[in-house]
Amino acid sequence: NAGVTQTPKFRVLKTGQSMTLLCAQDMNHEYMYWYRQDPGMGLRLIHYSVGEGTTAKGEVPDGYNVSRLKKQNFLLGLESAAPSQTSVYFCASSYLTEDRKLFFGSGTQLSVL
Amino acid sequence: GEDVEQSLFLSVREGDSSVINCTYTDSSSTYLYWYKQEPGAGLQLLTYIFSNMDMKQDQRLTVLLNKKDKHLSLRIADTQTGDSAIYFCAGPHSGGYQKVTFGTGTKLQVIP
């Protein structure tokens, strides 16, 4: 099993450009999450989804949109990238169980110039 | 929401024990977790403890939970160079059981 796969692994954008990060999981998990990791700030939740067709805002949703058209995929979009969105982005997924054990992808390093 | 705090850095000698500490604010937390992040990689679940437990041991790892003080610790016995990584404490977010809140992470450096 591949687990949680993120594409791309690296990307450089210019301010104002748009892009979509793709997350795919093959574990039939109900929940999926997008986090960003910045030095000294740990992981902060951007958006999450509790099932196909549903999404919800996390702690830092501004400037991002998400979609979950298929259970196995969770897309994170940046409509107009800003330098403040330079970060490492992680996707995670989990089962619908009380112990919220997360399985993470390997991350996407995004730089916005 | 949930505040989870950790110290940023810990340095130990190979063979010694490492103790990484975490404090949290949400007393309703049911599960508390420790994740490990190796350089250039995503996070992996290391171990977790249910809030009705005081201690959990798994090989070289010991998790201690002090619910009164809202303090969680991870002890790594006989620390090896392969244990060098960032360790994150995490717990369910008070704003919704679907969410997990992470601490800032503690970078463990193991000196040979």
Side-chain angles (χ1 to χ4, degrees):
Chain A
N1 282 342
V4 180
T5 303
Q6 290 183 235
T7 54
K9 293 191 183 301
F10 302 95
R11 186 72 185 268
V12 178
L13 292 179
K14 294 181 179 179
T15 297
Q17 286 185 319
S18 63
M19 77 162 294
T20 301
L21 282 68
L22 173 63
C23 176
Q25 53 95 4
D26 61 3
M27 296 172 282
N28 203 32
H29 285 167
E30 290 82 7
Y31 292 171
M32 296 188 75
Y33 309 81
W34 276 106
Y35 287 90
R36 59 177 289 174
Q37 182 180 23
D38 302 291
M41 302 188 74
L43 273 73
R44 291 181 292 170
L45 183 64
I46 305 171
H47 286 279
Y48 64 102
S49 167
V50 301
E52 183 178 320
T54 68
T55 63
K57 295 180 180 180
E59 301 169 69
V60 288
D62 294 342
Y64 305 95
N65 57 75
V66 288
S67 65
R68 187 143 179 228
L69 300 179
K70 294 182 179 181
K71 185 177 184 179
Q72 63 268 33
N73 296 334
F74 195 28
L75 279 63
L76 177 70
L78 286 72
E79 292 182 344
S80 179
S84 61
Q85 294 177 304
T86 293
S87 186
V88 181
Y89 292 86
F90 287 101
C91 176
S93 65
S94 71
Y95 285 114
L96 180 62
T97 53
E98 187 180 5
D99 58 41
R100 193 66 63 242
K101 291 184 282 188
L102 300 180
F103 293 79
F104 280 84
S106 57
T108 297
Q109 173 74 60
L110 175 66
S111 296
V112 183
L113 306 178
Chain B
E2 172 87 10
D3 283 331
V4 180
E5 295 188 356
Q6 306 175 237
S7 55
L8 291 179
F9 190 75
L10 176 66
S11 180
V12 299
R13 293 205 174 275
E14 189 175 16
D16 288 349
S17 292
S18 306
V19 180
I20 302 171
N21 295 302
C22 168
T23 57
Y24 60 95
T25 57
D26 184 3
S27 59
S28 66
S29 294
T30 52
Y31 287 90
L32 294 156
Y33 313 86
W34 284 104
Y35 283 83
K36 178 183 181 182
Q37 183 183 32
E38 296 183 353
L43 281 70
Q44 285 188 300
L45 180 65
L46 202 56
T47 186
Y48 66 102
I49 188 168
F50 189 55
S51 59
N52 69 352
M53 299 170 65
D54 296 324
M55 184 181 82
K56 180 179 180 181
Q57 190 154 0
D58 184 2
Q59 299 182 330
R60 292 190 298 121
L61 304 178
T62 303
V63 179
L64 295 177
L65 176 59
N66 182 327
K67 290 183 286 293
K68 175 177 174 289
D69 294 337
K70 298 180 185 175
H71 182 266
L72 183 73
S73 67
L74 173 69
R75 178 177 180 270
I76 305 173
D78 186 25
T79 310
Q80 303 297 307
T81 55
D83 295 324
S84 293
I86 301 176
Y87 291 81
F88 290 91
C89 170
H93 196 286
S94 62
Y97 68 92
Q98 305 95 333
K99 296 181 280 188
V100 175
T101 297
F102 287 82
T104 54
T106 299
K107 185 172 184 178
L108 175 63
Q109 178 187 48
V110 181
I111 304 168

